[in-house]
Amino acid sequence: MFKGVFILYLINIGCFVYAQQPKFIIDGQAQGTSYGVQYYAPNSVVSKREIDSVLSVIDKSMSLYDNQSLITAFNKADQSIALDEHMSNVVRRSFEINRISKGIFDITVMPLVNLWGFGPNRVKEFPQPQIIDSILQFVGMDKLALNNNNTLTKKDKRVQVDLNGIAQGYSVDVVSQLLDSKGIENYLVELGGEIKVKGYKDVHVPFEIAIESPKNGKYSDVILQLTDRAVTTSGNYRRAFDVDGRRIHHHINPSDGYPVQNNVTSVTVIARTAMDADGYDNVFMAMTPEEGVNLANSLKDIEVYIIYEDNGQFKEAFSAGFHQYIRNN
């Protein structure tokens, strides 16, 4: 269903028991990827069936691979459709991130994503400029309107939306809300590399997360210690392929219709919600390192770690508050 995010791997999770409470682990498959939930509680209070049910409801709302989903119905519709709570939450936040990013984050890029071969079919040659220009006529979130009663309207019937760049993080948040409703105070939820943690893995010991390095596929020296935060990572070295001798990446610039070309290799975003972390990692991937750091520094509760190439060397850039989450070796 959603994008496969990359390069986060959990380490040392649950090596101890928080306040002597048992650790419960639930694993499964959903949204075209795997998920894992670890929580600490006196008794088992959440079932795999409950988690699967939550994720299934979200699929019925926003899965592009479900012909009966709400998002599929909207993409086929000529004008308007009433959204459910989940799709409304995600679309409303998408408008906000689109505004803050000055159009970089844009859920109407679906026709361009498909044109460049990141949909169902891979391309064998570069799309012609005239085709890209024709599609750009109905790309842009200014061609969408969401009113107060959660009706989403397209101003051009050709508009189609793709929520893969934000909905998986939202799914993590919704599963986390399920755990919250059960009174669970210490947990980790992971879905396709999108992660949210609450509380601790042991008394005052935060959860630890290592970040994969684009240099060699192994792990970087940056190990995060997180509590009550979400983290996602996105990179240009996984969902990519070669066409006519050129490397094509899945981040599409909605203003010109072409894949983003810059020196950013990966970004790791820490935020209050997994939805925000998921949405903003797309934004930072499309910016220069300096632009990304400046934007993160201007936002509340958003921190970013950027790995980029400079004259054949990998370099790093951090927002002002990111270092507080790095484990001291």
Side-chain angles (χ1 to χ4, degrees):
M1 169 182 171
F2 301 116
K3 75 173 184 178
V5 269
F6 328 93
I7 50 189
L8 287 178
Y9 180 75
L10 315 183
I11 64 171
N12 297 330
I13 293 173
C15 295
F16 302 94
V17 177
Y18 183 87
Q20 303 304 312
Q21 290 184 344
K23 178 181 71 174
F24 297 92
I25 300 174
I26 301 173
D27 298 311
Q29 299 289 320
Q31 301 181 355
T33 186
S34 61
Y35 72 80
V37 175
Q38 300 187 36
Y39 69 91
Y40 301 89
N43 303 291
S44 174
V45 292
V46 179
S47 69
K48 183 177 184 298
R49 178 178 296 179
E50 288 176 292
I51 294 173
D52 288 343
S53 177
V54 165
L55 295 174
S56 177
V57 169
I58 294 174
D59 268 357
K60 290 297 182 183
S61 178
M62 293 179 283
S63 172
L64 292 172
Y65 297 98
D66 184 344
N67 290 329
Q68 304 301 314
S69 69
L70 189 58
I71 192 172
T72 299
F74 176 77
N75 285 339
K76 291 179 179 179
D78 286 343
Q79 190 172 19
S80 301
I81 195 167
L83 303 186
D84 62 12
E85 178 185 8
H86 293 304
M87 191 168 169
S88 174
N89 289 340
V90 171
V91 170
R92 200 169 295 281
R93 188 58 179 154
S94 295
F95 271 107
E96 294 173 3
I97 297 177
N98 173 266
R99 175 183 58 80
I100 292 169
S101 69
K102 298 181 179 178
I104 291 176
F105 183 84
D106 194 313
I107 61 174
T108 69
V109 295
M110 181 179 173
L112 291 170
V113 170
N114 291 336
L115 181 69
W116 283 98
F118 293 103
N121 303 307
R122 187 63 52 86
V123 297
K124 297 181 180 179
E125 59 185 15
F126 268 64
Q128 295 298 311
Q130 59 267 31
I131 297 177
I132 296 172
D133 289 341
S134 66
I135 291 177
L136 285 173
Q137 301 307 307
F138 51 93
V139 169
M141 289 185 64
D142 59 324
K143 298 170 180 64
L144 289 174
L146 179 63
N147 64 21
N148 290 333
N149 66 358
N150 292 332
T151 296
L152 184 63
T153 301
K154 56 177 74 173
K155 301 175 183 179
D156 185 314
K157 66 180 181 180
R158 298 171 295 176
V159 172
Q160 293 183 312
V161 299
D162 179 346
L163 299 172
N164 287 0
I166 189 171
Q168 197 164 71
Y170 175 77
S171 299
V172 170
D173 290 332
V174 175
V175 173
S176 298
Q177 290 166 9
L178 171 65
L179 301 183
D180 292 338
S181 73
K182 302 286 187 176
I184 299 171
E185 297 182 352
N186 305 282
Y187 60 71
L188 180 146
V189 177
E190 181 269 335
L191 173 64
E194 322 283 345
I195 296 172
K196 188 173 185 180
V197 301
K198 180 181 180 181
Y200 301 88
K201 69 176 183 180
D202 189 26
V203 179
H204 303 306
V205 178
F207 291 94
E208 294 187 339
I209 298 168
I211 302 172
E212 187 180 64
S213 170
K215 304 173 189 178
N216 50 23
K218 297 182 179 179
Y219 299 102
S220 75
D221 295 330
V222 176
I223 297 176
L224 304 178
Q225 290 187 316
L226 298 179
T227 183
D228 301 332
R229 286 294 186 275
V231 59
T232 67
T233 301
S234 185
N236 66 10
Y237 55 94
R238 293 291 182 93
R239 286 186 63 190
F241 57 89
D242 295 314
V243 176
D244 295 339
R246 290 177 59 184
R247 194 70 169 162
I248 302 300
H249 306 295
H250 72 283
H251 294 93
I252 307 297
N253 185 335
S255 64
D256 65 16
Y258 287 83
V260 171
Q261 298 290 316
N262 62 14
N263 64 341
V264 174
T265 304
S266 75
V267 300
T268 297
V269 181
I270 297 173
R272 286 280 183 182
T273 68
M275 177 167 60
D276 274 2
D278 196 8
Y280 276 108
D281 68 29
N282 296 277
V283 175
F284 295 127
M285 282 298 303
M287 291 181 156
T288 67
E290 182 180 9
E291 290 170 339
V293 167
N294 288 340
L295 176 61
N297 287 340
S298 73
L299 297 172
K300 184 180 179 180
D301 295 326
I302 298 289
E303 303 295 344
V304 67
Y305 162 47
I306 302 171
I307 300 176
Y308 63 99
E309 290 189 69
D310 183 22
N311 294 321
Q313 301 292 319
F314 285 103
K315 295 186 178 181
E316 300 173 322
F318 300 87
S319 59
F322 194 93
H323 286 86
Q324 67 183 300
Y325 299 106
I326 298 176
R327 186 184 73 182
N328 295 320
N329 294 324

